[in-house]
Every structure is written in structure tokens, then in C-alpha cells.
Amino acid sequence: QLTSFNKHDDVVVSGRRWYWLDDDQWKEYEEIIQNKIEENDRASIRTFSLLLDGKLYELDLDQKIQTNVLNGLTHHITDQLNNFIQWY
């Protein structure tokens, strides 16, 4: 997988994209979150916490879920969005 570097802030940017399922719609994470997920994945850190929109979440890359730490609500996550798209 090709990895490039952003010259402005030295953040590693991967070609892979991550999404979370909000009810029945997949939403793409913001770029800074994409970078944090990729950074942890490359370091083989499979479970970690992130602050998303002022809320603390735990992401589990093996189970492919994100969990709101406060209320326990979970959402599926994926880096394989094409596997979930259905053509009609």
C-alpha cells in the first residue's frame, strides 16, 4: 500500500479510507481522524481511544466497531466500503 507524506505538517497519509456506519449511511472520517487510525494501525495498536466531535470513542480495528465510552453505543467501521455497496 502506497503511503505519502504531507509536507505541511509531516502527517502520514495513506491511500486507505475509513468509514463509520451512522444508522444506514456510511460516513467518512475527517482527515485528521483518518491519519490517527492509520497511525495506530501501522503501529499494530488495534484498540485505542479517540475524541470525535467532543465525545470519547474507543475504536477496535479487529472487531471493526467504534464505541461511545459514555453511553456504550456502537457503530460499525470499515476500510472496505466497496464490500458494503449494493448496486440496484
Side-chain angles (χ1 to χ4, degrees):
Q1 183 171 7
L2 180 63
T3 302
S4 62
F5 294 90
N6 182 327
K7 294 180 182 178
H8 299 291
D9 55 12
D10 295 327
V11 174
V12 176
V13 178
S14 170
R16 183 166 55 168
R17 308 304 296 170
W18 286 89
Y19 305 84
W20 61 281
L21 186 60
D22 183 20
D23 294 322
D24 61 351
Q25 181 178 9
W26 288 100
K27 296 186 177 180
E28 189 171 351
Y29 285 104
E30 295 177 18
E31 196 65 34
I32 193 166
I33 302 302
Q34 298 278 352
N35 292 334
K36 293 290 184 187
I37 294 170
E38 284 298 303
E39 180 181 298
N40 282 296
D41 187 40
R42 279 191 305 279
S44 297
I45 301 171
R46 309 304 293 163
T47 304
F48 53 92
S49 296
L50 286 176
L51 194 60
L52 306 171
D53 295 327
K55 298 174 187 168
L56 185 62
Y57 287 89
E58 181 175 281
L59 275 71
D60 185 326
L61 299 183
D62 290 327
Q63 298 293 318
K64 299 282 180 120
I65 58 170
Q66 74 174 30
T67 304
N68 182 312
V69 173
L70 183 62
N71 63 22
L73 183 64
T74 62
H75 294 278
H76 292 282
I77 65 173
T78 188
D79 64 339
Q80 302 291 320
L81 190 60
N82 290 341
N83 293 343
F84 292 95
I85 296 175
Q86 295 180 358
W87 299 99
Y88 298 95

